[in-house]
Amino acid sequence: MKVYGTELKSRLFLGTAQYPSPAILAEAVRRSACEVVTVSLRREASNQRAGHDFWTLIRGLGVRVLPNTAGCHSAKEAVTTAHMAREVFGTPWIKLEVIRDDDTLQPDVFGLVEAAKLLTDEGFQVFPYTTEDLSVADRLLDAGCEVLMPWGSPIGSGRGLNNVYALRSLRARFPDLPLVIDAGLGLPSHAAQAMELGFDAVLLNTAVAKAGDPAAMAAAFALAVEAGHAGFQADPIEVREMAAASTPMLGTAFRS
């Protein structure tokens, strides 16, 4: 897949929060074979020593960094955070989050579009965490976004894809736009389902970081993403309401 002119072999993006230890995080990244990890500027800024050690760890993994604006509740706050992230991490990439509801962590789509427009005008390459709403998607593309990251379900819920119908519609409306499922996945089968729907990639954090064996779960998700994408490319059969015999009926005896 290609995002903002960058070719990526892996279709799995991995978050870097909530792992039991830095060593387990590093092993999970290696086992997933992902090429992109998301990092929070707030973590970097919260503790200078811990932030330095964390940043050293990430650079040692040889992966591309996608800073995020996690925890921002307004367009102004998100834009300020994006500016700081660009200075710290030296990349125009920014995973844009503007949260409205603290219970569901649902995006504030109005603030999201506003912040996306301001940032793309300044040369940022924005990865917006959004809902599956088609009209919001249109607005984000008008704002200059070249990739969308619709949620599967609320962050950290592990519920999988809550609204398959809407996600399928989003894929159909924008067949050539990179679409990355972000948030809500809990099982490798959820990732496979997303890829079978034709999505380009998935982003995971809690499902891996909070698993009993994060490294093993990261490897399982990597296999699921690969299998789901291969299944989509193989052009699955259409779903039928009635049975269709898979064995030829010619020459079989009729029952009396």
Side-chain angles (χ1 to χ4, degrees):
M1 66 176 295
K2 182 179 287 187
V3 287
Y4 289 111
T6 298
E7 194 77 40
L8 299 173
K9 294 180 181 177
S10 173
R11 296 175 180 273
L12 176 60
F13 296 8
L14 207 57
T16 55
Q18 305 184 78
Y19 286 85
S21 72
I24 293 176
L25 162 62
E27 183 61 15
V29 171
R30 281 191 282 267
R31 293 282 298 276
S32 73
C34 71
E35 297 173 272
V36 177
V37 298
T38 62
V39 296
S40 169
L41 177 67
R42 290 174 185 274
R43 177 173 179 168
E44 288 291 299
S46 62
N47 182 314
Q48 290 187 351
R49 174 58 187 275
H52 177 270
D53 292 346
F54 174 74
W55 184 219
T56 299
L57 170 70
I58 296 299
R59 283 188 295 187
L61 294 173
V63 293
R64 184 177 290 271
V65 172
L66 174 59
N68 64 58
T69 63
C72 292
H73 287 75
S74 70
K76 181 179 180 181
E77 189 179 1
V79 169
T80 300
T81 302
H83 287 160
M84 296 171 66
R86 182 164 62 179
E87 186 172 334
V88 170
F89 298 108
T91 174
W93 281 17
I94 189 74
K95 182 191 169 210
L96 182 62
E97 295 185 25
V98 182
I99 301 301
R100 175 64 179 180
D101 186 272
D102 286 333
D103 289 330
T104 65
L105 298 181
Q106 181 168 349
D108 175 352
V109 295
F110 301 100
L112 186 69
V113 172
E114 178 186 353
K117 181 68 169 62
L118 293 170
L119 291 171
T120 57
D121 285 348
E122 295 180 13
F124 281 90
Q125 295 173 338
V126 178
F127 296 65
Y129 162 63
T130 182
T131 64
E132 64 281 269
D133 189 285
L134 292 178
S135 60
V136 176
D138 276 330
R139 297 285 187 182
L140 288 169
L141 298 186
D142 290 343
C145 297
E146 297 181 12
V147 57
L148 299 179
M149 303 184 80
W151 65 349
S153 53
I155 293 173
S157 68
R159 296 177 57 84
L161 305 182
N162 260 1
N163 194 341
V164 172
Y165 167 78
L167 291 171
R168 199 189 302 276
S169 298
L170 188 67
R171 178 72 286 176
R173 173 70 66 84
F174 306 106
D176 300 320
L177 181 72
L179 295 175
V180 181
I181 291 291
D182 177 10
L185 304 189
L187 295 169
S189 57
H190 298 156
Q193 183 186 20
M195 301 304 293
E196 288 167 357
L197 289 173
F199 283 81
D200 296 282
V202 301
L203 190 156
L204 309 164
N205 193 153
T206 305
V208 171
K210 304 297 282 186
D213 186 339
M217 187 60 80
F221 266 104
L223 291 172
V225 167
E226 185 176 345
H229 179 63
F232 173 72
Q233 287 192 310
D235 190 14
I237 64 170
E238 293 185 7
V239 175
R240 295 170 55 93
E241 294 295 331
M242 303 297 289
S246 56
T247 302
M249 301 297 291
L250 184 65
T252 58
F254 290 99
R255 289 184 299 179
S256 60

